[in-house]
Amino acid sequence: MAGGARDERSVADKLFAIADAFAAGEELTLSEVAARARLPLSTAHRLLGEWVEWGGLVRGDDGRYRLGMKLWRLGVRQPTARRLRSAALPYLEDLLESTREHVHLAVRDGLGAVYLERLSGRDAVPVISEVGSRLPLHATGVGLVLLAHAGEDVLHEVLASNPRKYLPNTLTEERELRIRLAEIRSLGLSQAVEELTRGAFSVAAPVRDASGEVVAAVSIIAHVERRGEPQFALGVRMAARGISTALGWRP
Amino acid sequence: MAGGARDERSVADKLFAIADAFAAGEELTLSEVAARARLPLSTAHRLLGEWVEWGGLVRGDDGRYRLGMKLWRLGVRQPTARRLRSAALPYLEDLLESTREHVHLAVRDGLGAVYLERLSGRDAVPVISEVGSRLPLHATGVGLVLLAHAGEDVLHEVLASNPRKYLPNTLTEERELRIRLAEIRSLGLSQAVEELTRGAFSVAAPVRDASGEVVAAVSIIAHVERRGEPQFALGVRMAARGISTALGWRP
């Protein structure tokens, strides 16, 4: 390729670096994109043009670029997200109706829990998760459930990553994490108070597919004053069981 | 570029052609991808490798390729979809609770209505829409509402596209479409029976943003026997109004 000596990165690398600049869903100017993708302005401009022509990015009237509906349509076709979400939605809706708090469905992605779905009651407690968010395994209800059913190597990676203590109740020490994960496995449920969000408690349970493997977790995040109410544990258990059955799991 | 004479398409074109091969969310073999993207096997293999390295595609144990979670996460960050969905969800949930049928949120994309969200009661009538689907403007409740508030040029394009008569009630003639669109504008509501789906009726209403422009439509698709029940028109109107207000619209 001409000019290869000046820039070793492939065209694909550069195109994907441009997409990565939009990972937070922001609207960006040409120079912001060029800076984030570490590309010369002229290269960024040309490659942005390719993205816009395809429809993956859109250029607004103000000259800023943003993710396009084409990328959204492609993303929502992702088979795992689509299959899990479609199996789970009726159960998540039941859970929402009976609690009016936040209802989550998440899968593990490396050392994070990625939120596939979130339904929220109108007066639910303020939380930072939203669809597409990736929150740490050790500090969230769904994350701890997913971690409890991941391999020993994942736990090692979490411990090696210097896990952050968001609040006094966040578990970061190996010994306390191991006790908690064993408890989650034996109860089939994670219950915690103020691990990531002040004023909130969480109840989470594992979702299994036909092979019996834990493929997702479902949770409720509710106002901490309501933590004594029995419907949270019951509802999360029933939802997790219903979704697992819909995925072909047989106990 | 070396070999440029043999294939005039840019690397970006070829990379995007590969992504387009996955538009239906299927899992594909190398040769299926090569055929759909009209690329030699070796080129398809190399570019699939670039996609997999980035995370936009994933190669399964069986050697088939599918869309990856990275693309899903990027897609759900698309600002329009995210903003509309987040403003709309509480109202869509209320509508679901009060009807237990299908609740839709859609935006116009060319001559199609793209479904941003669908919530469904467990016994709702079978329909073909799902999140990410793109259905024709002239044959759906949301589509007709969006068409009624699009420019005259969009109507011309619809008429010129030889719109398909899915069922006897599907409107395809200019005169009947114009009457129907005027009615939708004057009532602020679209009501129709068996236009796209047998056994179903639809009620749809426009969603406006702060500028007053119609940016989306909300609808219910329900069993045709329930069409006399008053809560459908009332509920859809209230939801559309609530979402518009959440988007900053002031009547």
Side-chain angles (χ1 to χ4, degrees):
Chain A
M1 188 188 304
R6 278 187 54 227
D7 188 344
E8 300 277 308
R9 295 160 75 191
S10 71
V11 177
D13 272 357
K14 295 178 200 168
L15 276 168
F16 293 141
I18 283 183
D20 283 332
F22 292 89
E26 296 156 286
E27 308 204 357
L28 303 173
T29 62
L30 166 60
S31 49
E32 286 167 338
V33 174
R36 291 193 185 190
R38 293 181 298 111
L39 291 171
L41 274 184
S42 59
T43 309
H45 185 257
R46 183 169 49 79
L47 296 178
L48 278 165
E50 302 267 17
W51 274 105
V52 169
E53 196 185 326
W54 181 57
L57 296 174
V58 171
R59 187 168 181 274
D61 296 336
D62 59 357
R64 286 166 173 263
Y65 296 87
R66 60 176 189 273
L67 296 165
M69 285 305 291
K70 178 138 184 180
L71 215 48
W72 178 83
R73 289 192 63 207
L74 205 55
V76 295
R77 295 289 164 149
Q78 201 281 324
T80 311
R82 187 182 180 189
R83 188 174 58 102
L84 282 173
R85 188 178 177 279
S86 124
L89 255 184
Y91 300 96
L92 302 180
E93 286 157 6
D94 288 350
L95 207 46
L96 175 71
E97 250 185 76
S98 62
T99 63
R100 312 306 308 172
E101 298 276 2
H102 297 290
V103 175
H104 288 130
L105 178 73
V107 293
R108 187 169 70 81
D109 180 44
L111 302 187
V114 170
Y115 288 74
L116 288 189
E117 190 53 275
R118 192 189 94 183
L119 303 179
S120 305
R122 224 178 287 264
D123 302 317
V125 62
V127 295
I128 59 174
S129 59
E130 63 171 313
V131 173
S133 293
R134 190 169 174 280
L135 296 178
L137 290 180
H138 75 283
T140 58
V142 283
L144 284 166
V145 165
L146 295 166
L147 184 56
H149 295 92
E152 181 72 10
D153 50 330
V154 181
L155 177 58
H156 282 155
E157 282 183 67
V158 167
L159 293 168
S161 71
N162 191 19
R164 180 170 157 199
K165 205 165 182 73
Y166 292 89
L167 290 176
N169 289 352
T170 314
L171 302 183
T172 55
E173 300 296 329
E174 172 161 4
R175 203 184 61 89
E176 55 189 16
L177 262 170
R178 283 195 184 276
I179 292 172
R180 178 73 188 285
L181 296 177
E183 183 191 279
I184 291 171
R185 281 188 296 265
S186 101
L187 286 178
L189 204 69
S190 158
Q191 305 202 56
V193 176
E194 294 190 331
E195 276 183 328
L196 179 65
T197 305
R198 235 176 258 285
F201 81 101
S202 73
V203 182
V207 170
R208 295 174 191 276
D209 69 4
S211 74
E213 195 189 335
V214 171
V215 292
V218 56
S219 77
I220 283 185
I221 311 291
H223 290 84
V224 72
E225 310 84 63
R226 299 186 65 191
R227 70 183 177 282
E229 299 178 25
Q231 80 271 31
F232 294 110
L234 186 68
V236 168
R237 259 189 221 281
M238 282 177 58
R241 206 181 164 89
I243 301 166
S244 301
T245 305
L247 292 173
W249 177 72
R250 297 294 171 266
Chain B
M1 187 186 303
R6 279 187 55 227
D7 188 343
E8 301 279 307
R9 295 160 76 192
S10 72
V11 177
D13 272 357
K14 294 177 198 170
L15 276 169
F16 293 141
I18 284 183
D20 283 332
F22 293 88
E26 295 157 288
E27 307 203 358
L28 303 174
T29 62
L30 166 60
S31 48
E32 287 167 339
V33 174
R36 291 192 185 188
R38 293 180 299 109
L39 291 170
L41 274 183
S42 59
T43 309
H45 184 256
R46 183 169 49 79
L47 296 178
L48 277 164
E50 302 267 17
W51 273 105
V52 169
E53 196 185 326
W54 181 58
L57 296 174
V58 172
R59 187 168 181 274
D61 296 335
D62 60 357
R64 287 164 172 265
Y65 296 87
R66 60 174 189 274
L67 296 165
M69 285 305 291
K70 179 139 184 180
L71 215 46
W72 178 83
R73 288 191 64 206
L74 205 55
V76 296
R77 296 290 163 146
Q78 201 281 326
T80 312
R82 189 181 179 188
R83 188 174 59 103
L84 282 173
R85 188 179 177 279
S86 123
L89 255 182
Y91 301 95
L92 302 181
E93 286 157 8
D94 288 349
L95 206 46
L96 175 70
E97 250 185 77
S98 62
T99 62
R100 312 307 307 171
E101 300 275 2
H102 297 290
V103 175
H104 287 131
L105 178 74
V107 293
R108 188 170 70 81
D109 180 44
L111 303 187
V114 169
Y115 288 74
L116 287 190
E117 188 54 274
R118 191 190 93 183
L119 302 179
S120 304
R122 224 179 288 264
D123 302 317
V125 63
V127 294
I128 59 174
S129 59
E130 61 171 314
V131 172
S133 293
R134 189 168 176 279
L135 296 178
L137 290 180
H138 75 283
T140 57
V142 282
L144 284 166
V145 165
L146 294 166
L147 184 55
H149 295 91
E152 180 74 10
D153 49 331
V154 180
L155 177 59
H156 281 157
E157 283 184 66
V158 167
L159 293 167
S161 71
N162 191 21
R164 180 170 156 199
K165 203 165 184 75
Y166 292 90
L167 290 176
N169 288 353
T170 315
L171 301 183
T172 56
E173 301 296 328
E174 172 161 5
R175 204 185 59 90
E176 55 190 17
L177 263 171
R178 284 195 183 276
I179 292 172
R180 178 71 187 285
L181 297 177
E183 183 190 279
I184 292 172
R185 281 188 295 266
S186 102
L187 285 178
L189 204 69
S190 157
Q191 305 202 56
V193 176
E194 294 191 330
E195 277 183 328
L196 179 66
T197 305
R198 235 176 258 287
F201 80 100
S202 73
V203 182
V207 170
R208 295 174 191 275
D209 69 5
S211 73
E213 194 190 335
V214 171
V215 291
V218 57
S219 78
I220 282 186
I221 312 291
H223 289 85
V224 72
E225 309 84 63
R226 299 186 65 190
R227 70 183 177 281
E229 299 177 26
Q231 80 270 33
F232 293 111
L234 187 67
V236 168
R237 259 190 222 281
M238 281 177 59
R241 206 180 164 90
I243 301 165
S244 301
T245 306
L247 292 173
W249 176 72
R250 297 292 171 266

